[in-house]
Amino acid sequence: MNLIPSIRNAARAVIIRQGRILLLRKDGGGRGERYALPGGAQDPGESLSEALDRECVEEIGTRVEVGDLIYVAEFFKQRDTQPPSSRHLVEFIFRCSVPEDYAPRNGHRPDKHQVAVVWADFAGLTRMPLFPRYLTDCLTEAPDPARPLYLGTFADHANPEKH
């Protein structure tokens, strides 16, 4: 694996309202349509909460109230480089909320390949192409205090396996 030498922290928001979850809809980049949680990389000097709030303003056009940390996962994301490379991410997934009057919309600086922000039926998540794929399992199961917070390490490829 051609690994980029630095590790990036990323903060992600799980925003659920009335049986629906807020997701970024992405298309392009050779991956087809897929859905992802809002959020992104932590900048030097930022707390995870500050990074998540900033990323949500950029991607979904609103500030978020950052709640409890519910999961941590390591992820090796394939990059569109020549030669192909991967980026090692440590993802911190938080329960968050948006203002009551929030309507889904792209923010002023949407994520790469982001085409929309949508409320998706939480019950239909198992049938959606979530990215990264490990999200399908952790989001469709209610957080359980007996379940470990750390999910493990995952790779981004056609046949994802836990490392």
Side-chain angles (χ1 to χ4, degrees):
M1 173 187 330
N2 184 13
L3 191 59
I4 294 172
S6 61
I7 298 173
R8 299 271 330 237
N9 287 341
R12 306 276 176 215
V14 173
I15 303 165
I16 299 172
R17 182 187 288 166
Q18 299 174 344
R20 298 179 300 161
I21 185 169
L22 193 70
L23 297 172
L24 307 179
R25 186 169 71 83
K26 297 182 174 190
D27 204 351
R31 295 177 185 256
E33 184 182 64
R34 61 207 174 276
Y35 295 85
L37 294 173
Q42 180 182 26
D43 289 336
E46 272 185 324
S47 69
L48 287 168
S49 295
E50 290 168 340
L52 187 52
D53 188 51
R54 175 186 50 76
E55 286 283 343
C56 285
V57 168
E58 291 173 3
E59 294 173 355
I60 67 172
T62 192
R63 299 193 66 170
V64 294
E65 183 174 325
V66 179
D68 292 335
L69 175 67
I70 55 176
Y71 295 113
V72 176
E74 292 186 71
F75 178 58
F76 289 89
K77 181 179 181 182
Q78 289 182 343
R79 309 252 319 165
D80 239 354
T81 59
Q82 287 302 324
S85 62
S86 294
R87 160 95 56 200
H88 184 175
L89 298 174
V90 179
E91 298 199 324
F92 298 86
I93 303 171
F94 292 86
R95 204 175 273 135
C96 296
S97 60
V98 292
E100 285 298 317
D101 62 348
Y102 176 73
R105 64 187 177 280
N106 282 343
H108 70 279
R109 194 170 162 203
D111 206 3
K112 188 175 184 180
H113 305 296
Q114 178 179 328
V115 295
V117 178
V118 299
W119 285 111
D121 182 19
F122 196 77
L125 282 181
T126 57
R127 296 182 303 277
M128 295 180 73
L130 293 178
F131 182 81
R133 292 182 192 181
Y134 77 80
L135 289 174
T136 302
D137 290 336
C138 74
L139 291 178
T140 56
E141 297 174 9
D144 176 354
R147 182 179 176 172
L149 182 70
Y150 178 65
L151 298 175
T153 305
F154 301 87
D156 172 20
H157 47 74
N159 191 3
E161 295 177 18
K162 195 171 179 181
H163 285 246

